[in-house]
Amino acid sequence: MSAHTEQRLEESGPSRGRVVDTAQYGLAAFLLVVGVVVLVDAAGLEKGFADQPVQPYAFGFVIGSVLVALAALLAVATWRGDVAEAEDGEDIDLTQGSDWATVAKLGVVFVIVVLTISWLGWAIVGAFLFAGTARVLGSRTLILDVAIGTALSLLTWYGFYVGLGIPIPAGVLDGVL
Amino acid sequence: MDLLLEGFATALTPTNLLFAVIGVLLGTAVGVLPGIGPAMTVALLLPVTYSVEPSSALIMFAGIYYGGMYGGSTTSILLNTPGESSSVVTALEGNKMAKKGRAAQALATAAIGSFVAGTIGTVLLVILAPNIADLVVKLGAPSYFAIMLLALFAVTAVLGTSKLRGFIALFLGLSIGLIGTTTGQARLTFGEAKLADGIDIVVVAVAIFAIGEALWVAAHLRRKPLDIIPVGQPWMSRSDWGRSWKPWLRGTAFGFPFGALPAGGAEVPTFLSYITERRLTKHPEEFGNGAIEGVAGPEAANNASAAGTLVPLLAIGLPTTATAAVILVAIQSYGLQPGPQFLDSNPELVWGLLASLFIANTLLLVINLPLAPVWAKLLQIPRPYLYAGILFFASLGAFSVNFDAFDLALLGVLGLLGLAMRRFGLPVLPLIIGVILGPRVENQLAEALAISQGDVSTLWSEPVAVVVYVVMALLLVGTIVAGRRAGAAAPGPEKKEEVSA
């Protein structure tokens, strides 16, 4: 808590200039788009049954309009110098800049997982997911990473199959596992 | 009383006892581990509800909840970087104590205080929940509608530092809740058949809690290792006991009612408890340098509020914290709906759960006092493995819902939303509550209006509903006045909503 306030004071203390968090306009735009999509979707709904006291579009109109209003409020607040209080945590170091490259690499690993899971199955893809993300996050022991990943994915596959009775599709390894 | 004894009979079967032990161990472990809290853990464990008995699963989740509240204190004391917002206050004095070589006493007073508070809180829960349920069962749809609106409003407007961001999160959650065909027509499905049943709440919860957090940490991973204060066996001297017991009781008195309120949470009571202890202490010179009262009180408040949150959850079906929200999801995935009828129709389940809370509390004390040095070691787990593991289990959880890559893709997209929320300081709780309660609010409104045949005045036809609307109006006025006052105190164009505490 105290760390936050100190940081705040530093930000607004000496410089005194208005800090505009430009990225926050992006969030406002996103809210606007979501709001408009909700509104358009609600407008496209047909009138429901006569005995339906709350028409299906009613909530859509309310939620969509409020989202558009919130987008406007956020844009104004941003313009007036409102800065987001980014979330803190044990492993989070907010004093350095954001490392979006790591996030992008994690995204790539995740997209590969989504694209291949139906074909390769959890046992292989899960191991790849663990080893891949561990490496992106800074682990440099490739063989150990793969070993741990394989162990985890096999254990969870058998654990779900035998222990919980949830048959996760085996994918390409069908018949092997 | 008989019911509670029967509950113990349910909870003390070997299987359920095993689940309680697993829950307590897991809960403490994740409470200690950085970046992962009780809400995320229960979210990651939701797949077990597909095959494990409801009573066993709930007993495990209760253990995780209590254990997680306790585990957070270990991190606060040994690291000075609280992971859960509810243990921020513990770090104030706890870490100072640890630096003075009194980590063992700080951990001991936290553990025993949690036990005392958790036990008293659970007793109150056992007394209150059935009585409240008896009252609530008489309420009609208009009152339910009002109570749910109050819960949404309170969680959004009262908690958190920025109301604007609270409402943004809430309405994003409500939009997600719109998706599906529950009203007879496809809303926001974009013609995608897989969205017809809405987005599975498991996927939403796992994405927002686990993926969002892991990505956010990945973007800001601390490069230098943290200073961990080594610790031996927790113990307390006679004078420590003498200085702790009153703060424990006072902390419990703060924590339980706040937990039971729709927007109570654990942050406010822990803070109130800290202020009270600082005012009442006979050792004012120690405050700020590691006063044991400053750990004992807030930690008790913390655990008592966890017990308190179960009152509205079980009696009304209202979640008031993130963990309670995910536990509600778990109960719903069994096709059960917590609320006034829940206690009557599932006595074995509910009383088993209540009994297991006593067991979980005792287990926490028995297991955690000797294990403290082991928990401290957990803090040294290599971060790449920790976060790779979180991503791994999150993906497994989402995939096991339908074995469909589509759910994984949704998980990724919502995970990016979770990342953005952390970047822009949007609170997570209103979004999750919005997803869960949004459709139910719509249901209650439809039901109320169906009974009154479209007459809107039915909404304020019940006394409870009127009272709830008055409370909402008072809250609204209160927040506006508080905002004005904060604005007057800090004039200038860049006034920020800084009404923290």
Side-chain angles (χ1 to χ4, degrees):
Chain A
M1 217 180 243
S2 59
H4 264 306
T5 6
E6 278 162 32
Q7 209 180 318
R8 275 284 175 85
L9 288 176
E10 271 168 39
E11 272 171 21
S12 57
S15 60
R16 214 66 196 127
R18 200 176 64 195
V19 191
V20 174
D21 184 357
T22 333
Q24 216 161 232
Y25 287 124
L27 176 65
F30 171 73
L31 291 175
L32 182 69
V33 170
V34 175
V36 169
V37 168
V38 173
L39 282 175
V40 169
D41 183 78
L45 293 173
E46 286 157 37
K47 212 165 166 357
F49 310 106
D51 63 344
Q52 222 172 342
V54 182
Q55 291 293 332
Y57 52 73
F59 267 59
F61 276 129
V62 173
I63 293 169
S65 333
V66 175
L67 275 172
V68 172
L70 286 172
L73 283 175
L74 181 66
V76 172
T78 308
W79 182 75
R80 291 175 60 179
D82 175 275
V83 181
E85 188 178 320
E87 199 184 85
D88 212 344
E90 287 118 324
D91 280 342
I92 293 171
D93 183 3
L94 289 175
T95 53
Q96 310 289 315
S98 302
D99 179 8
W100 298 122
T102 304
V103 176
K105 284 183 216 157
L106 288 179
V108 172
V109 173
F110 198 78
V111 168
I112 296 174
V113 167
V114 172
L115 293 178
T116 55
I117 190 149
S118 311
W119 168 46
L120 293 175
W122 174 253
I124 296 175
V125 173
F128 165 75
L129 174 65
F130 184 89
T133 48
R135 183 160 185 86
V136 169
L137 290 169
S139 175
R140 284 292 164 268
T141 45
L142 187 61
I143 295 166
L144 185 63
D145 299 353
V146 173
I148 297 178
T150 312
L152 267 181
S153 66
L154 283 176
L155 274 177
T156 49
W157 193 86
Y158 279 110
F160 270 60
Y161 197 93
V162 182
L164 297 176
I166 302 172
I168 302 177
V172 77
L173 292 181
D174 201 7
V176 182
L177 290 175
Chain B
M1 207 68 244
D2 285 350
L3 286 166
L4 186 61
L5 286 178
E6 276 171 39
F8 272 105
T10 312
L12 283 172
T13 59
T15 325
N16 287 347
L17 209 52
L18 179 69
F19 274 103
V21 173
I22 295 176
V24 166
L25 286 177
L26 258 181
T28 314
V30 302
V32 173
L33 279 175
I36 171 166
M40 192 204 284
T41 314
V42 179
L44 290 178
L45 283 171
L46 284 173
V48 306
T49 60
Y50 302 142
S51 62
V52 175
E53 289 274 305
S55 56
S56 308
L58 287 183
I59 283 168
M60 178 167 73
F61 292 158
I64 291 173
Y65 195 8
Y66 277 25
M69 294 308 254
Y70 167 79
S73 67
T74 307
T75 337
S76 291
I77 291 166
L78 300 182
L79 268 182
N80 196 24
T81 48
E84 287 81 37
S85 52
S86 50
S87 32
V88 169
V89 180
T90 309
L92 294 178
E93 299 296 323
N95 190 248
K96 295 272 164 51
M97 282 183 76
K99 282 189 177 138
K100 277 167 62 184
R102 280 167 53 77
Q105 286 79 0
L107 286 175
T109 197
I112 302 168
S114 298
F115 170 74
V116 171
T119 307
I120 298 175
T122 310
V123 170
L124 292 174
L125 168 67
V126 166
I127 298 169
L128 280 178
N131 289 317
I132 291 181
D134 284 345
L135 291 178
V136 175
V137 79
K138 300 192 184 93
L139 301 179
S143 298
Y144 268 110
F145 176 70
I147 290 174
M148 280 177 198
L149 278 190
L150 172 69
L152 288 177
F153 178 76
V155 161
T156 309
V158 179
L159 299 179
T161 48
S162 167
K163 317 292 171 231
L164 174 61
R165 294 192 170 77
F167 278 104
I168 290 173
L170 173 67
F171 277 88
L172 284 175
L174 291 173
S175 318
I176 297 175
L178 278 181
I179 299 171
T181 52
T182 41
T183 52
Q185 288 192 49
R187 287 192 298 197
L188 289 172
T189 60
F190 309 103
E192 171 63 64
K194 285 170 181 168
L195 286 175
D197 292 332
I199 298 180
D200 198 299
I201 183 81
V202 176
V203 178
V204 180
V206 170
I208 299 290
F209 285 116
I211 305 275
E213 181 72 18
L215 292 179
W216 178 240
V217 172
H220 297 97
L221 196 56
R222 206 181 281 277
R223 294 297 168 194
K224 51 180 190 292
L226 292 157
D227 282 337
I228 302 162
I229 299 166
V231 65
Q233 191 69 39
W235 61 278
M236 290 204 295
S237 68
R238 263 184 92 86
S239 80
D240 290 327
W241 279 93
R243 291 174 59 179
S244 289
W245 71 271
K246 281 185 201 154
W248 290 339
L249 296 182
R250 282 192 290 259
T252 310
F254 279 119
F256 188 82
F258 271 96
L261 287 174
E267 291 84 357
V268 181
T270 49
F271 192 71
L272 285 178
S273 161
Y274 178 75
I275 297 176
T276 311
E277 296 314 327
R278 198 171 58 187
R279 204 167 286 161
L280 293 176
T281 180
K282 294 197 181 84
H283 309 267
E285 74 287 352
E286 280 190 25
F287 262 82
N289 301 309
I292 195 165
E293 293 93 337
V295 180
E299 268 310 300
N302 191 351
N303 270 54
S305 90
T309 51
L310 294 174
V311 174
L313 180 69
L314 293 176
I316 321 182
L318 272 189
T320 52
T321 62
T323 316
V326 189
I327 291 180
L328 178 67
V329 172
I331 300 177
Q332 285 174 335
S333 69
Y334 285 111
L336 303 168
Q337 180 60 53
Q341 290 95 2
F342 187 53
L343 279 84
D344 289 333
S345 51
N346 303 283
E348 199 184 335
L349 182 62
V350 176
W351 289 101
L353 173 66
L354 292 176
S356 76
L357 291 177
F358 288 105
I359 297 169
N361 238 320
T362 316
L363 283 175
L364 270 178
L365 191 67
V366 176
I367 294 177
N368 282 336
L369 279 181
L371 280 184
V374 181
W375 295 133
K377 288 228 169 59
L378 265 187
L379 290 169
Q380 285 154 348
I381 185 173
R383 295 306 184 257
Y385 288 159
L386 175 62
Y387 292 101
I390 291 175
L391 289 168
F392 176 90
F393 282 103
S395 307
L396 178 62
F399 187 61
S400 63
V401 175
N402 295 317
F403 310 122
D404 195 338
F406 181 75
D407 282 331
L408 275 182
L410 273 181
L411 182 79
V413 172
L414 290 170
L416 286 178
L417 177 65
L419 170 68
M421 291 178 73
R422 284 165 176 81
R423 156 67 179 83
F424 292 111
L426 300 180
V428 170
L429 181 59
L431 181 131
I432 294 290
I433 303 263
V435 179
I436 296 176
L437 288 189
R440 280 171 62 197
V441 167
E442 192 174 15
N443 256 336
Q444 293 296 343
L445 182 64
E447 200 182 312
L449 291 180
I451 295 169
S452 75
Q453 303 192 321
D455 182 4
V456 185
S457 70
T458 184
L459 292 181
W460 48 89
S461 64
E462 292 186 13
V464 173
V466 175
V467 171
V468 170
Y469 288 125
V470 170
V471 170
M472 274 174 78
L474 289 178
L475 275 178
L476 186 66
V477 172
T479 37
I480 292 172
V481 170
R484 279 275 163 76
R485 213 174 275 164
E494 67 226 287
K495 72 163 184 202
K496 294 167 211 151
E497 288 154 66
E498 269 186 306
V499 262
S500 60

